[in-house]
Amino acid sequence: MSLSLAPGGSAARSSGPSSELDALGASERTSRPIVTGTSVLGIKYQGGVMLAADTLCSYGTMAKYKDARRLLEANSGTLIGGGGEYSDFQAISMMLKANAMEDRCLSDSLYDEDDGTTEESAKEVWSYLRAVMYNRRNKMNPLWNDLLVAGFDKKSKDGKPFLGFVDKIGTAYEDNCVATGFGSYLALPILREKYRPDLEEGEARALLEDCMRVLFYRDCRALNRIQIAKVTAESGVVIHEPYEIDTSWDSEAFVQSKGGLDEGDGGWLYSSSLLFGSVVSAARHVSPQMQFLSFYMMCERLFYVLHSFMRVDDSPAIVTVTSFTSYFAPIA
């Protein structure tokens, strides 16, 4: 199957049906996010820009992939972080790598020690992604991602750090600290409160770790295994290996009883025992018929809970709801 380099550096298939779906005129697009990553955080500090993200991708509500890297190097001076649909983020990654390869092929030299003035700056990559996202949105085929772009402009003399945000409909802005997903609600206020233009690298890293810890506590799609990357004018893009942050569940909000339960974990077994106790206590003051009815309802509820954990098949060892209820029916 032949490939052609489309304008803008993206790889596209040559004309003609490439599959049976194309021949049938079927739609091949992401109609809704399936495998998604959550928040990405970014902050400027003295001498660079730092991004942080966890490594979890969720399949719906299931924490399925726990080593999904969502921070990537677009070129030697640009760092990208993405939340949302992971397959769309992979498509953006391939697109940016194709652009970087095209820039390298069109440059005057292929050596890494050159100044690399033909490379796109971080702001140019951010502007390009804004156009791509807005274009896809207008075609009703968006890339379901919120992106952070961080880096330096090697072409300018001042070499100021850059940090920008782009969402799936092409909305874009720059700021000193930005976040995607639930991080824009839970972590961004913390970043804005603690931010200073003269933040050291260690302070910025500790601040991002604190924010990722808060997200792990409060966001059910977050994980305590995170990845941090930075961009500096001297060393360029540096992406660290993932590691786990320390967590503590000793907070009163986490350990205090919920739902009026003074003890126990609140699980189905404990709640069922409470129900049995309340039924027995109340049965002392009612007629025998009501005692049996209350006991029957409690047993039926407990059976439904147990049945949800059992494998239902034709085996005689597995009890069904029909056989359970028919056992009590003659007595009633």
Side-chain angles (χ1 to χ4, degrees):
M1 178 169 49
S2 61
L3 295 175
S4 63
L5 194 63
S10 61
R13 289 192 177 98
S14 58
S15 60
S18 57
S19 65
E20 294 182 1
L21 290 176
D22 293 335
L24 295 174
S27 176
E28 296 183 77
R29 62 182 63 185
T30 305
S31 59
R32 61 187 177 92
I34 302 296
V35 178
T36 58
T38 183
S39 308
V40 182
L41 310 180
I43 189 171
K44 292 181 182 178
Y45 65 93
Q46 188 176 16
V49 190
M50 190 173 292
L51 300 185
D54 62 28
T55 60
L56 176 66
C57 274
S58 302
Y59 181 76
T61 58
M62 181 173 61
K64 188 170 181 65
Y65 305 104
K66 298 184 179 180
D67 191 29
R69 314 294 177 89
R70 296 187 290 119
L71 302 178
L72 64 92
E73 178 183 356
N75 55 49
S76 61
T78 305
L79 178 66
I80 307 292
E85 172 60 41
Y86 195 67
S87 63
D88 286 347
F89 183 66
Q90 290 176 316
I92 292 173
S93 171
M94 295 172 61
M95 186 188 309
L96 294 176
K97 288 179 180 179
N99 284 349
M101 178 61 68
E102 184 179 11
D103 291 338
R104 177 62 65 89
C105 293
L106 295 177
S107 64
D108 295 332
S109 176
L110 297 178
Y111 295 100
D112 294 333
E113 58 267 18
D114 291 343
D115 57 1
T117 54
T118 57
E119 281 188 344
E120 294 178 334
S121 66
K123 192 167 187 177
E124 290 172 340
V125 173
W126 170 72
S127 181
Y128 170 74
L129 289 174
R130 179 203 58 77
V132 169
M133 303 298 263
Y134 184 71
N135 178 47
R136 292 289 295 264
R137 173 252 189 180
N138 287 341
K139 293 182 177 180
M140 300 301 172
N141 184 21
L143 294 167
W144 294 81
N145 296 107
D146 294 334
L147 304 172
L148 299 188
V149 182
F152 280 84
D153 186 2
K154 295 183 178 180
K155 302 176 184 179
S156 63
K157 296 181 180 180
D158 52 4
K160 291 183 178 180
F162 175 84
L163 180 59
F165 169 90
V166 184
D167 68 3
K168 63 180 177 294
I169 62 174
T171 304
Y173 62 87
E174 305 174 42
D175 205 346
N176 294 322
C177 45
V178 292
T180 71
F182 260 101
S184 60
Y185 302 99
L186 303 175
L188 194 54
I190 303 175
L191 292 174
R192 287 174 174 169
E193 181 183 0
K194 303 293 185 180
Y195 172 75
R196 303 193 320 270
D198 59 344
L199 276 175
E200 297 293 336
E201 180 180 336
E203 293 177 309
R205 187 187 188 100
L207 180 56
L208 289 179
E209 287 182 350
D210 289 340
C211 292
M212 296 302 295
R213 188 176 293 109
V214 170
L215 289 173
F216 176 62
Y217 290 150
R218 300 298 182 185
D219 184 4
C220 62
R221 302 290 186 273
L223 189 66
N224 65 331
R225 188 171 186 266
I226 68 171
Q227 189 176 23
I228 288 182
K230 65 177 182 178
V231 190
T232 61
E234 296 79 16
S235 58
V237 176
V238 178
I239 302 178
H240 298 281
E241 287 297 312
Y243 62 96
E244 292 188 5
I245 55 176
D246 297 329
T247 58
S248 174
W249 299 94
D250 298 332
S251 173
E252 184 179 356
F254 296 143
V255 299
Q256 66 183 0
S257 59
K258 300 292 192 301
L261 301 178
D262 296 330
E263 58 183 13
D265 60 354
W268 63 269
L269 185 60
Y270 180 71
S271 60
S272 299
S273 65
L274 289 181
L275 175 65
F276 179 77
S278 61
V279 168
V280 172
S281 177
R284 300 173 183 174
H285 309 286
V286 297
S287 62
Q289 291 81 4
M290 289 299 298
Q291 290 181 18
F292 173 77
L293 180 61
S294 300
F295 179 74
Y296 171 75
M297 292 175 62
M298 185 274 297
C299 291
E300 188 173 29
R301 177 191 170 187
L302 180 60
F303 176 78
Y304 272 112
V305 174
L306 292 173
H307 189 266
S308 64
F309 292 93
M310 300 165 67
R311 179 175 58 87
V312 181
D313 55 15
D314 297 329
S315 173
I318 302 301
V319 185
T320 63
V321 176
T322 305
S323 62
F324 184 85
T325 54
S326 60
Y327 176 79
F328 284 98
I331 303 177

